[in-house]
């Protein structure tokens, strides 16, 4: 109990039991007809009643002495309880035996002191809690206050009127007035403190409020009886007084700090003020039948009016909070539901007793969204997501939900669905995405991967269902099959995938990536003028892997930036070694779009060159045309920056991408083009390919761009290129890509 030493726990328990016994026995003696006489009974009204007050005073005293929590508050509360108890004991032992009984007496001082001490205790408790007071809370408090005042005045005014009629001394009238005034003040302060707890106070505050009401009733009646000489000891009123006084220290020992929060009574915000507003209304109705003091009527009217204003404000607040609720559950970008709404509906579908548990969870992920986004730029990437969300939401049936879970991932909850109907809907979702999207005035085709998990067979809680739908989606993505329903085997597949990603990173970081070099030949002067660095994975088990066999995996795992940097560092290092041997070659490195859009990339390139002391103009970066398609501004900025430092930027695979001649005109910083091998390799057999190459060479010559023909596979092609005035050639005819130590510089050997 309350973290007390066991010895003290026993003492408190014994005192509590003793007090309970005293209250019950005393209360029994006050039941009408139990006693033979209405006069003071020394055993019951003397020993028993006083014993009860003494026991409860000891309990009250021990609370702040033994317990640190809220000690200051309890010093005051206990002081109040002790004052009231002592006042009773003194009254029973001394005052009541005096003839005539003095009024006011020392006991009145004790009884009145209780109110003061309790008021100070409440203020101490509430002081730190008044942080934010909403208008509604203040109006609630006013409703309660007006209602209490109206009821209290309605009861007390007639009593006072009666007393003043019997001619009593000033000190007695002052004491008479002090009781109701302090009673009401204490009630108001308690209500204020409860308000400070946002109507969710510790239980002892509710008990104290109830006890204060009891004090008000008991004291007013005692007052009346004393003044009119109708007082009798040992009535039900005495029991009520003892009980009300005892409940306060009892509640202190019953609930400690941690259990206070656990046992806090949560009453819906509007209940209390509504109840008091009803009291006020009730009093107004009562006043139409029976004479009630005008002040009470005004106060009751005020209480009811404030309650009406409060209700109007409440409606507004409810409307606003409904709007906030909607906003909090909507995705800002696409205006479909967000992850929070999705999770809520999923939990509802799973746990609501009225809903069918047969439903499907779908995870929809756009394939290659990252590179689409990088290529388009974020603004157009967002536009695409909005359009996708719009199409997906049109497929949904009423009652089903589509939500954006984050990035390019959407989730759907399909009610009353089995695996077959879920697949039908997944098919429809796929179909809705099939029509190309018009973004930046061009048509963009996308595909998506959809994973399906069915409740309850694939999972019985939200985490499991989502995880399984996610796994199925990954399966659909990695096998490029579009739609996949969850199977337990997917766990294994996912494990393999994760392991392969881990393996790939390890391969890059631990030097399993090797660089092969393919010479670039100046076919006009017949000499090796440069080399393209081409990556190979020297796999310990699978042998030498070409880029086509592992680059897509690298891209998917987001490891492209790491790979490019590794290749670049190695290639630049090799260039340094060649420079030291007196061989001056340009080195060409392939880049992915992601590299160029990374704002830190130019700096990383310059740093790698500087570290090896390789001149910037010895480096060519090869980019594909896709970059210019959608985000020309970013592409232009990055290329300008690299070119301003003397680095050459070449367009790779020219003729295969989204070729537009526009960028050739705009991008004055371009060093040149590499005509794609698909044209060059066919020059000897395909006249049209030959014509394309020829015109491209002319175009480059007149734009002052360097032109490299890649895919020169035989002498005939080489000869044609020489005749066409092509400056540089690269291809198997001269050399296949080789390791640095087998790289040939001598044209005669090539
Ligand atoms: P690419 O940049 O167009 O590289 C030229 C590719 O054509 C190389 O294939 C090369 O071996 C091949 N090739 C060279 N001469 C001939 C020829 O006469 N006939 C034919 N049919 N092919 C020839 P590889 O090494 O398999 O590279 C394929 C692609 O992988 C490269 O195309 C490039 O886009 C990418 N790649 C290679 N290394 C890297 C790298 O380090 N980083 C990045 N991002 N991509 C790389
Ligand atoms: Mg290349
Ligand atoms: Mg190429």
């Amino acid at each position: 109990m309350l973290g007390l030493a066991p010895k003290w726990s026993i003492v408190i328990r014994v005192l509590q039991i003793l007090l309970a016994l005293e209250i019950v026995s005393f209360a029994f003696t006050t039941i009408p007809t139990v006693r033979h006489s209405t006069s003071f009974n020394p055993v019951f009204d003397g020993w028993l009643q006083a014993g009860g007050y003494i026991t409860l005073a000891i309990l009250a005293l021990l609370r702040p002495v033994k317990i640190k929590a809220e000690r200051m508050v309890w010093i005051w509360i206990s002081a109040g309880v002790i004052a009231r108890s002592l006042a009773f004991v003194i009254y029973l032992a001394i005052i009541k035996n005096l003839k005539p009984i003095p009024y006011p007496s020392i006991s009145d001082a004790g009884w009145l002191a209780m109110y003061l001490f309790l008021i100070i205790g409440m203020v101490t408790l509430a002081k730190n809690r008044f942080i934010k007071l909403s208008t509604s809370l203040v109006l609630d408090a006013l409703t309660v206050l007006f209602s209490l005042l109206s009821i209290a005045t309605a009861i007390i005014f007639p009593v006072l009127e009666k007393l003043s009629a019997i001619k009593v001394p000033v000190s007695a009238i002052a004491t008479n007035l002090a009781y109701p005034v302090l009673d009401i003040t204490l009630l108001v302060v308690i209500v204020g403190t409860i308000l400070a707890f946002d109507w969710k106070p510790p239980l002892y505050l509710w008990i104290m409020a109830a006890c204060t009401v009891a004090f008000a009733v008991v004291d007013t009646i005692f007052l009346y009886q004393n003044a009119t000489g109708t007082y009798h000891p040992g009535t039900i009123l005495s029991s009520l007084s003892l009980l009300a006084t005892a409940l306060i220290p009892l509640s202190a020992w019953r609930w400690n700090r941690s259990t206070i929060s656990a046992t806090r009574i949560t009453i819906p915000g509007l209940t209390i003020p509504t109840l008091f507003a009803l009291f006020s209304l009730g009093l107004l109705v009562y006043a139409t039948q029976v004479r009630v003091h005008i002040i009470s009527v005004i106060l009751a009217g005020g209480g009811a009016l404030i309650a009406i204003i409060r209700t109007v404000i409440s409606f507004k607040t409810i409307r606003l909070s409904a709007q906030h609720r909607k906003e909090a559950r909507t995705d800002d970008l696409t205006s479909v539901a967000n992850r929070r709404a999705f999770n809520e509906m999923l939990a509802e579908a799973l746990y609501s007793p009225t809903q069918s548990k047969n439903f499907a969870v779908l995870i929809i992920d756009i394939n290659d969204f990252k590179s689409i986004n990088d290529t388009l730029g974020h603004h157009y990437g967002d536009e695409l997501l909005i359009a996708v969300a719009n199409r997906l939401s049109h497929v949904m049936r009423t009652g089903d939900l589509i939500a954006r879970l984050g990035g390019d991932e959407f989730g759907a909850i399909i009610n009353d669905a089995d695996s077959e109907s879920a697949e039908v809907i997944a098919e429809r979702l796929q179909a809705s995405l099939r029509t190309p999207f018009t973004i930046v005035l061009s048509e963009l085709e996308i595909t998506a991967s959809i994973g399906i998990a069915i409740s309850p067979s694939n999972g019985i809680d939200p985490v499991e269902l989502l995880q399984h739908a996610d796994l199925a989606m990954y399966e659909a993505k990695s096998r490029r099959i579009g739609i996949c329903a969850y199977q337990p085997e997917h766990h294994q597949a996912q494990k393999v995938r994760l392991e392969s990603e881990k393996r790939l990173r390890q391969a890059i970081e631990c030097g399993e990536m090797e660089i092969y070099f393919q010479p670039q030949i100046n076919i006009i002067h017949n000499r090796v003028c440069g080399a393209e660095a081409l990556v190979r994975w020297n796999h310990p088990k699978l042998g030498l892997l070409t880029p086509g066999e592992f680059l897509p995996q690298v891209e998917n795992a987001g490891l492209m930036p790491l790979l490019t940097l590794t290749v670049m560092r190695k290639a630049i290092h090799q260039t340094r070694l060649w420079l030291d041997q007196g061989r001056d070659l340009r080195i060409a490195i392939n880049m992915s779009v992601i590299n160029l859009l990374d704002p830190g990339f130019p700096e990383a390139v310059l740093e790698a060159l500087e570290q090896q002391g390789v001149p910037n103009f010895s480096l060519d970066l090869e980019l594909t045309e896709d970059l210019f398609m959608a985000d020309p501004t970013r592409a232009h900025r990055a290329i300008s920056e690299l070119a301003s430092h003397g680095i050459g930027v070449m367009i790779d695979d020219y003729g295969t991408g989204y070729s537009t001649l526009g960028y050739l005109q705009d991008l004055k910083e371009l060093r040149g083009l590499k005509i794609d091998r698909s044209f060059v390799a066919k020059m000897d057999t395909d006249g049209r390919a030959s014509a394309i190459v020829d015109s491209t060479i002319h175009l480059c010559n007149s734009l002052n761009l360097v032109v490299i023909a890649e895919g020169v596979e035989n002498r005939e092609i080489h000869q044609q290129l020489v005749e066409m005035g092509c400056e540089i050639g690269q291809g198997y005819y001269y050399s296949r890509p080789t390791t640095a130590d087998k790289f040939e510089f001598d044209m005669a050997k090539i």
Side-chain angles (χ1 to χ4, degrees):
M1 187 206 293
L2 289 165
L4 275 180
K7 187 178 80 184
W8 281 105
S9 289
I10 295 170
V11 171
I12 301 299
R13 191 59 85 213
V14 169
L15 285 171
Q16 285 173 332
I17 294 169
L18 177 65
L19 179 57
L21 287 174
E22 284 164 342
I23 295 172
V24 171
S25 355
F26 178 68
F28 178 74
T29 69
T30 62
I31 297 172
T33 73
V34 169
R35 296 188 189 200
H36 299 301
S37 120
T38 53
S39 57
F40 184 84
N41 183 312
V43 178
F44 301 151
D45 303 322
W47 291 110
L48 197 53
Q49 191 179 192
Y53 278 111
I54 291 168
T55 317
L56 74 89
I58 296 171
L59 267 176
L61 176 73
L62 286 175
R63 169 61 174 83
V65 172
K66 284 283 144 203
I67 307 295
K68 269 205 226 119
E70 292 175 340
R71 179 169 278 165
M72 267 327 285
V73 176
W74 278 96
I75 284 180
W76 291 111
I77 297 178
S78 297
V81 171
I82 293 168
R84 183 176 169 94
S85 305
L86 289 183
F88 267 108
V89 175
I90 291 170
Y91 186 86
L92 297 171
I94 306 166
I95 311 286
K96 98 166 202 333
N97 299 325
L98 301 176
K99 293 251 167 33
I101 297 175
Y103 182 75
S105 69
I106 179 95
S107 290
D108 288 294
W111 286 318
L112 290 172
M114 175 199 71
Y115 292 106
L116 287 177
F117 290 151
L118 291 189
I119 288 167
I120 299 173
M122 288 302 96
V123 172
T124 315
L125 179 61
K127 206 170 54 192
N128 298 328
R129 298 205 51 110
F130 276 106
I131 305 158
K132 60 172 176 62
L133 272 184
S134 66
T135 320
S136 306
L137 275 183
V138 172
L139 290 179
D140 285 353
L142 287 177
T143 311
V144 173
L145 176 65
F146 273 59
S147 165
L148 281 178
L149 284 174
S150 66
I151 292 163
T153 49
I155 296 168
I156 288 159
F157 280 153
V159 177
L160 286 180
E161 271 168 16
K162 205 163 253 175
L163 286 180
S164 55
I166 325 172
K167 289 223 166 15
V168 252
V170 177
S171 60
I173 291 195
T175 316
N176 283 341
L177 264 176
Y179 277 105
V181 166
L182 284 174
D183 248 328
I184 289 176
T185 314
L186 176 57
L187 251 186
V188 169
V189 171
I190 293 177
V191 171
T193 311
I194 291 176
L195 167 80
F197 281 86
D198 207 4
W199 300 116
K200 294 169 198 112
L203 191 54
Y204 71 76
L205 273 190
W206 290 115
I207 289 179
M208 206 175 301
C211 292
T212 307
V213 173
F215 294 154
V217 172
V218 171
D219 293 349
T220 311
I221 299 174
F222 274 154
L223 206 67
Y224 182 77
Q225 290 178 338
N226 267 331
T228 52
T230 50
Y231 169 75
H232 291 295
T235 61
I236 275 283
L237 277 184
S238 302
S239 306
L240 189 59
S241 169
L242 177 62
L243 178 70
T245 322
L247 277 179
I248 298 176
L250 276 177
S251 68
W253 287 102
R254 173 61 186 80
W255 294 280
N256 68 15
R257 245 199 155 179
S258 57
T259 51
I260 279 169
S261 52
T263 52
R264 262 180 203 173
I265 297 175
T266 318
I267 294 183
L270 272 171
T271 317
I272 302 280
T274 310
L275 212 65
F276 280 89
L278 285 176
F279 275 141
S280 295
L281 281 175
L283 194 80
L284 286 178
V285 174
Y286 180 71
T288 58
Q289 306 299 320
V290 182
R291 198 184 79 85
V292 176
H293 201 285
I294 183 69
I295 292 183
S296 308
V297 175
I298 293 171
L299 287 169
L305 189 71
I306 296 169
I308 292 169
I309 298 172
R310 173 19 165 146
T311 314
V312 173
I313 292 179
S314 282
F315 274 117
K316 277 197 181 154
T317 318
I318 288 167
R319 222 189 40 225
L320 264 180
S321 73
Q323 197 179 329
H324 285 162
R325 210 186 118 82
K326 192 166 174 241
E327 278 166 10
R329 279 154 188 76
T330 306
D331 178 50
D332 285 343
L333 178 69
T334 59
S335 304
V336 297
N338 62 11
R339 184 178 272 276
R340 177 186 293 178
F342 182 85
N343 287 343
E344 278 179 9
M345 180 157 161
L346 186 56
E348 202 179 311
L350 276 166
Y351 303 127
S352 155
T354 53
Q355 280 202 21
S356 142
K357 298 281 175 292
N358 299 320
F359 63 92
V361 172
L362 270 57
I363 300 281
I364 305 132
D365 195 278
I366 302 171
N367 294 331
D368 306 317
F369 181 76
K370 190 168 167 27
S371 49
I372 297 174
N373 199 31
D374 286 339
T375 318
L376 290 176
H378 289 287
H379 173 70
Y380 295 114
D382 285 354
E383 222 171 77
L384 175 66
L385 286 174
I386 296 170
V388 167
N390 193 24
R391 290 210 195 159
L392 295 179
S393 53
H394 276 100
V395 177
M396 292 292 120
R397 309 169 307 184
T398 345
D400 295 347
L401 178 86
I402 184 86
R404 177 163 168 248
L405 304 181
D408 61 322
E409 195 177 74
F410 293 84
I413 297 174
I414 315 290
N415 290 311
D416 295 316
D418 55 12
S419 54
E420 274 159 36
S421 49
E423 283 201 28
V424 170
I425 300 221
E427 270 298 343
R428 276 191 218 147
L429 289 170
Q430 287 280 21
S432 76
L433 300 178
R434 237 161 255 148
T435 323
F437 290 82
T438 310
I439 307 278
V440 214
L441 299 176
S442 54
E443 306 248 288
L444 184 68
E445 282 183 34
I446 63 162
T447 55
S449 300
I450 302 182
I452 303 173
I454 305 288
S455 161
S457 52
N458 297 156
I460 50 163
D461 66 59
V463 176
E464 203 179 14
L465 270 173
L466 272 177
Q467 219 173 37
H468 290 171
D470 224 31
L471 268 180
M473 186 277 289
Y474 271 112
E475 193 63 22
K477 196 175 273 271
S478 60
R479 286 168 45 205
R480 298 247 157 204
I481 50 172
I483 298 169
C484 181
Y486 168 77
Q487 298 289 329
E489 299 85 76
H490 294 166
H491 286 280
Q492 186 56 26
Q494 166 79 345
K495 219 171 115 195
V496 169
R497 209 164 26 240
L498 287 176
E499 268 166 17
S500 111
E501 268 179 36
K502 200 170 131 203
R503 178 75 195 84
L504 209 51
R505 177 182 286 277
Q506 190 190 15
I508 299 171
E509 283 170 348
C510 302
E512 284 178 26
M513 295 298 164
E514 280 187 20
I515 312 300
Y516 274 49
F517 295 90
Q518 187 176 33
Q520 295 179 334
I521 317 294
N522 184 315
I523 49 179
I524 297 169
H525 301 108
N526 236 11
R527 64 179 183 84
V528 178
C529 60
E532 177 173 7
L534 295 159
V535 68
R536 301 285 180 267
W537 181 3
N538 198 353
H539 197 286
K541 287 192 191 127
L542 305 173
L544 204 63
L545 303 179
T546 55
E549 292 169 283
F550 63 88
L551 281 189
Q553 233 177 304
V554 173
E555 191 104 48
N556 275 346
L559 292 171
M560 212 58 194
L562 181 67
L563 180 80
T564 307
L565 277 184
T566 312
V567 171
M568 190 165 62
R569 290 207 180 103
K570 287 190 177 186
I572 290 174
H573 176 67
Q574 185 57 50
T575 314
R576 175 74 255 167
L577 296 180
W578 283 332
L579 272 175
D580 293 344
Q581 295 166 17
R583 305 190 188 281
D584 189 2
L585 290 186
R586 291 189 76 90
I587 187 84
I589 292 165
N590 293 284
M591 318 213 348
S592 99
V593 172
I594 293 167
N595 294 129
L596 202 69
L597 297 176
D598 169 7
F601 183 69
E603 205 181 308
V605 176
L606 292 170
E607 202 180 285
L609 286 165
E610 199 183 324
Q611 263 175 9
Q612 298 288 336
V614 171
N616 295 354
F617 54 77
S618 293
L619 181 69
D620 273 345
L621 295 179
E622 296 188 4
L623 308 165
T624 49
E625 291 167 302
D626 315 17
L627 182 69
F628 301 103
M629 184 198 65
D631 201 348
T633 325
R634 281 173 86 184
H636 200 148
R637 200 180 310 133
I639 290 169
S640 301
E641 177 161 11
L642 290 163
S644 72
H645 289 95
I647 293 163
V649 178
M650 302 287 289
I651 302 300
D652 201 357
D653 303 343
Y654 181 77
T656 56
Y658 299 85
S659 303
T660 114
L661 292 174
Y663 68 80
L664 289 184
Q665 190 190 356
D666 295 340
L667 268 177
K668 313 247 170 349
E669 296 90 343
L670 268 189
R671 178 166 181 262
L673 308 178
K674 293 185 79 177
I675 308 174
D676 190 68
R677 57 181 186 270
S678 59
F679 302 104
V680 179
K682 282 192 281 189
M683 278 171 72
D684 52 342
T685 53
D686 183 344
R688 293 172 72 85
S690 182
I692 291 172
V693 174
D694 190 31
S695 63
T696 310
I697 292 169
H698 274 93
L699 179 72
C700 287
N701 287 344
S702 46
L703 286 175
N704 217 7
L705 290 169
V706 173
V707 60
I708 302 179
E710 56 179 6
V712 185
E713 291 190 343
N714 53 45
R715 192 175 163 70
E716 206 184 321
I717 298 172
H718 166 78
Q719 208 52 51
Q720 274 196 41
L721 289 168
V722 174
E723 280 160 21
M724 287 172 182
C726 177
E727 196 182 346
I728 302 169
Q730 179 184 345
Y732 294 168
Y733 173 59
Y734 312 111
S735 164
R736 286 190 175 256
T738 63
T739 51
D741 54 341
K742 292 203 187 102
F743 190 87
E744 296 287 350
F745 298 90
D746 191 348
M747 267 309 290
K749 283 186 190 158
I750 285 173

